[in-house]
Coordinates of all heavy atoms in Angstrom, one line a residue:
L1473 N -17.2 -83.5 234.7 CA -16.4 -82.4 235.2 C -17.2 -81.1 235.0 O -18.3 -81.2 234.4 CB -15.1 -82.3 234.5 CG -14.1 -83.5 234.5 CD1 -13.0 -83.3 233.5 CD2 -13.6 -83.7 235.9
W1474 N -16.7 -80.0 235.4 CA -17.3 -78.7 235.2 C -16.5 -77.8 234.2 O -17.1 -77.0 233.5 CB -17.6 -78.0 236.5 CG -18.6 -78.6 237.3 CD1 -19.5 -79.6 237.0 CD2 -19.0 -78.3 238.7 NE1 -20.3 -79.9 238.0 CE2 -20.0 -79.1 239.1 CE3 -18.4 -77.3 239.6 CZ2 -20.6 -79.0 240.3 CZ3 -19.0 -77.3 240.9 CH2 -20.1 -78.1 241.2
W1475 N -15.2 -78.1 234.2 CA -14.3 -77.2 233.3 C -14.2 -78.0 232.0 O -13.6 -79.0 231.9 CB -13.0 -77.0 234.0 CG -12.0 -76.2 233.2 CD1 -10.9 -76.7 232.6 CD2 -12.1 -74.9 232.8 NE1 -10.2 -75.8 231.9 CE2 -10.9 -74.6 232.0 CE3 -13.0 -73.8 233.0 CZ2 -10.7 -73.3 231.5 CZ3 -12.7 -72.6 232.5 CH2 -11.6 -72.3 231.7
G1476 N -14.7 -77.4 230.9 CA -14.6 -78.0 229.6 C -15.7 -77.6 228.7 O -16.6 -76.8 229.1
H1477 N -15.8 -78.1 227.6 CA -16.9 -77.8 226.6 C -18.1 -78.6 227.0 O -18.1 -79.8 227.0 CB -16.5 -78.2 225.2 CG -15.3 -77.4 224.7 ND1 -14.0 -77.8 224.7 CD2 -15.3 -76.2 224.1 CE1 -13.2 -76.9 224.1 NE2 -14.0 -75.9 223.7
R1478 N -19.1 -77.9 227.4 CA -20.3 -78.6 227.9 C -21.0 -79.3 226.7 O -21.1 -78.7 225.6 CB -21.3 -77.6 228.5 CG -22.4 -78.2 229.3 CD -22.8 -77.4 230.5 NE -23.9 -78.0 231.2 CZ -24.6 -77.3 232.1 NH1 -24.4 -76.1 232.3 NH2 -25.7 -77.9 232.7
I1479 N -21.5 -80.5 226.9 CA -22.1 -81.2 225.8 C -23.3 -80.5 225.3 O -24.2 -80.1 226.1 CB -22.4 -82.6 226.3 CG1 -21.1 -83.4 226.6 CG2 -23.3 -83.4 225.3 CD1 -21.3 -84.8 227.1
P1480 N -23.4 -80.3 224.0 CA -24.5 -79.4 223.4 C -25.8 -80.2 223.2 O -26.3 -80.4 222.1 CB -23.9 -79.0 222.1 CG -23.0 -80.1 221.7 CD -22.4 -80.6 223.0
V1481 N -26.2 -80.8 224.4 CA -27.5 -81.5 224.4 C -28.4 -81.0 225.5 O -27.9 -80.7 226.6 CB -27.2 -83.0 224.6 CG1 -28.5 -83.8 224.8 CG2 -26.3 -83.6 223.5
W1482 N -29.7 -80.8 225.1 CA -30.6 -80.3 226.1 C -31.8 -81.3 226.2 O -32.1 -82.1 225.3 CB -31.2 -79.0 225.6 CG -30.2 -77.9 225.8 CD1 -30.1 -76.9 226.8 CD2 -29.1 -77.5 224.9 NE1 -29.1 -76.1 226.6 CE2 -28.4 -76.4 225.4 CE3 -28.7 -78.0 223.6 CZ2 -27.4 -75.8 224.8 CZ3 -27.6 -77.5 223.0 CH2 -27.0 -76.3 223.6
Y1483 N -32.4 -81.3 227.4 CA -33.6 -82.2 227.6 C -34.8 -81.4 228.0 O -34.6 -80.4 228.8 CB -33.2 -83.2 228.8 CG -32.0 -84.0 228.5 CD1 -30.7 -83.5 229.0 CD2 -32.0 -85.1 227.7 CE1 -29.6 -84.2 228.8 CE2 -30.8 -85.8 227.5 CZ -29.6 -85.4 228.0 OH -28.4 -86.1 227.8
C1484 N -35.9 -81.8 227.6 CA -37.2 -81.2 228.0 C -37.9 -82.2 228.9 O -38.4 -83.2 228.4 CB -38.0 -80.8 226.8 SG -39.7 -80.1 227.3
D1485 N -38.0 -81.8 230.2 CA -38.7 -82.8 231.1 C -40.2 -82.7 230.9 O -41.0 -83.7 231.3 CB -38.4 -82.4 232.6 CG -36.9 -82.6 232.9 OD1 -36.3 -83.6 232.3 OD2 -36.3 -81.8 233.7
A1486 N -40.7 -81.6 230.3 CA -42.2 -81.5 230.2 C -42.7 -82.5 229.1 O -43.7 -83.1 229.4 CB -42.5 -80.0 229.8
C1487 N -42.1 -82.5 228.0 CA -42.6 -83.4 226.9 C -41.8 -84.7 226.8 O -42.2 -85.7 226.2 CB -42.7 -82.7 225.6 SG -41.1 -82.2 224.9
G1488 N -40.7 -84.8 227.5 CA -39.9 -86.0 227.6 C -39.5 -86.6 226.2 O -39.4 -87.8 226.1
G1489 N -39.3 -85.7 225.3 CA -39.0 -86.2 223.9 C -37.5 -86.6 223.8 O -36.8 -86.7 224.8

Side-chain angles (χ1 to χ4, degrees):
L1473 303 170
W1474 289 350
W1475 176 249
H1477 295 97
R1478 197 147 173 196
I1479 290 177
V1481 175
W1482 287 261
Y1483 306 95
C1484 175
D1485 294 327
C1487 65

